[in-house]
Amino acid sequence: MVGPLDPKILPKPPFGSQPSGPSRRTAIGLILGAPLLGACAGGAGSLFNSQAGPAGPAEQPAAVGTGHVKVGLILPLSASGNAGVAAQSMRNAAEMALAEFQNPNIQLLIKDDGGNAQGAQQGTQQALDEGAEMILGPLFASSVPATAQLTRAKGVSVIAFSTDSSVAGRGVYLLSFLPESDVNRIVDYAAGTGKRSFAACLPDNAYGSVVEATFKQAAGRKGGRIVAFEKYGADRATAARTVAQSLGQADALFLADDGESLVATADALTAAGANLKKHPASRHRPVGQSARGREPGVAGRALRRAGPCRLPELLRPLPRQIRRRSGAHRDAGL
């Protein structure tokens, strides 16, 4: 999370009403954390992505609960691929968290942003017009400024799920797994096992740039040296060939990408002559990416993680039945 989550940003009970004490505060806390739990279960891609692909038909706005305190939930529910799957999981988790409490005096205003900034702006405006006192979401970094532009004028706080720390600011908080902290943990883990010479192959995009800066700083802090560093676009062959040729001087290989992109990078390295069994790969996988599916030469063998995807301590009290029903007890290490 970027910045301390000040209790002052939580919605205040309406004038003249009787707050329900710890139950209401706990309900708000669980609703804040439940979508992130759903993201771990739902297989979200890198939340740096500015586009989620062509969206399907937009989902109609929905309201869950009848409480006086209204909280907007902005998600790419109609987006294609992993983004849409994750958004549905996040919605389900938030609804289940709300259902766990008797009369929490909260109403969720669920809006579909389609995975783009224009949709996020429209959904946010609708939620504000309906009286939202807090906005949860959006999911993508490119959509957060569109939401923040509207909420700042109203003095409404935003808790977004982006993993791009640059979009945090006045009135905008992030509840997510930031790549900077994960990369530091991975390099610390590698150094702790005696690895000092690194090779790296990263995507040439905004996510890759953040990972690159953190990786280079972390390696230097641990007294390591980077013997090969390459970035790739759609064509991985050239970058993979350069890295593969330098692996003889490295004792650790660092990869950072999501889903099938990670598989394609591993395939390109193998095709270029890299022995991934001999050079264990440490890598950061963006929030929600599970180890399911095909990761030849990577998953369960050469690939090392600093630890499983885990939620902040804030979310530990989440009722066991919510974790089980969302499937997150399998993928989030809960």
Side-chain angles (χ1 to χ4, degrees), residues 5 33 60 64 72 90 93 107 111 127 142 156 194 197-198 202 236 257 261 275 278 326 332-333:
L5 192 57
Q60 293 300 309
V64 180
M90 296 168 84
Q107 183 178 41
K111 311 295 180 184
S142 61
V156 172
S197 299
F198 297 91
L202 306 178
R236 293 169 168 78
D257 217 326
S261 295
N275 185 341
K278 183 179 179 181
S326 70

Side-chain angles (χ1 to χ4, degrees), residues 237-303:
T238 301
R241 187 163 49 248
T242 301
V243 171
Q245 291 172 351
S246 303
L247 281 182
Q249 307 170 52
D251 50 23
L253 171 62
F254 182 79
L255 305 177
D257 217 326
D258 62 355
E260 289 299 314
S261 295
L262 181 65
V263 174
T265 303
D267 285 347
L269 286 164
T270 301
N275 185 341
L276 296 184
K277 292 182 182 179
K278 183 179 179 181
H279 291 89
S282 297
R283 68 88 174 83
H284 174 248
R285 182 173 56 206
V287 58
Q289 288 296 326
S290 71
R292 300 189 193 102
R294 173 180 163 272
E295 292 187 13
V298 180
R301 260 196 316 182
L303 195 66

Side-chain angles (χ1 to χ4, degrees), residues 13-85:
F15 180 77
S17 68
Q18 291 296 321
S20 56
S23 178
R24 178 176 172 276
R25 180 174 293 275
T26 303
I28 292 176
L30 291 184
I31 291 170
L32 289 178
L36 183 59
L37 179 63
C40 270
S46 170
L47 306 191
F48 275 67
N49 295 340
S50 58
Q51 297 292 334
E59 289 206 10
Q60 293 300 309
V64 180
T66 58
H68 291 91
V69 178
K70 297 181 178 181
V71 177
L73 180 60
I74 315 295
L75 294 171
L77 296 167
S78 62
S80 62
N82 284 339
V85 174

Side-chain angles (χ1 to χ4, degrees), residues 36 40 177 185 305 307-313 316 331-334:
L36 183 59
C40 270
F177 300 99
R185 289 174 56 239
R305 293 193 70 184
C309 171
R310 293 188 181 276
L311 293 174
E313 293 302 320
R316 294 301 182 193
D331 296 327
L334 293 174

Side-chain angles (χ1 to χ4, degrees), residues 27-169:
I28 292 176
L30 291 184
I31 291 170
L32 289 178
L36 183 59
L37 179 63
C40 270
S46 170
L47 306 191
F48 275 67
N49 295 340
S50 58
Q51 297 292 334
E59 289 206 10
Q60 293 300 309
V64 180
T66 58
H68 291 91
V69 178
K70 297 181 178 181
V71 177
L73 180 60
I74 315 295
L75 294 171
L77 296 167
S78 62
S80 62
N82 284 339
V85 174
Q88 291 292 345
S89 296
M90 296 168 84
R91 171 183 179 165
N92 292 342
E95 289 181 359
M96 287 188 288
L98 184 61
E100 284 300 310
F101 291 85
Q102 296 281 333
N103 303 316
N105 198 28
I106 296 172
Q107 183 178 41
L108 277 179
L109 306 175
I110 302 172
K111 311 295 180 184
D112 176 18
D113 67 15
N116 59 72
Q118 182 179 3
Q121 189 171 47
Q122 292 174 349
T124 301
Q125 187 63 64
Q126 291 174 6
L128 292 174
D129 290 345
E130 293 168 25
E133 300 179 45
M134 173 183 285
I135 299 293
L136 305 183
L139 189 61
F140 293 119
S142 61
S143 298
V144 175
T147 288
Q149 183 179 10
L150 297 173
T151 56
R152 283 181 178 135
K154 297 276 190 178
V156 172
S157 296
V158 174
I159 300 180
F161 304 116
S162 169
T163 57
D164 184 351
S165 59
S166 69
V167 299

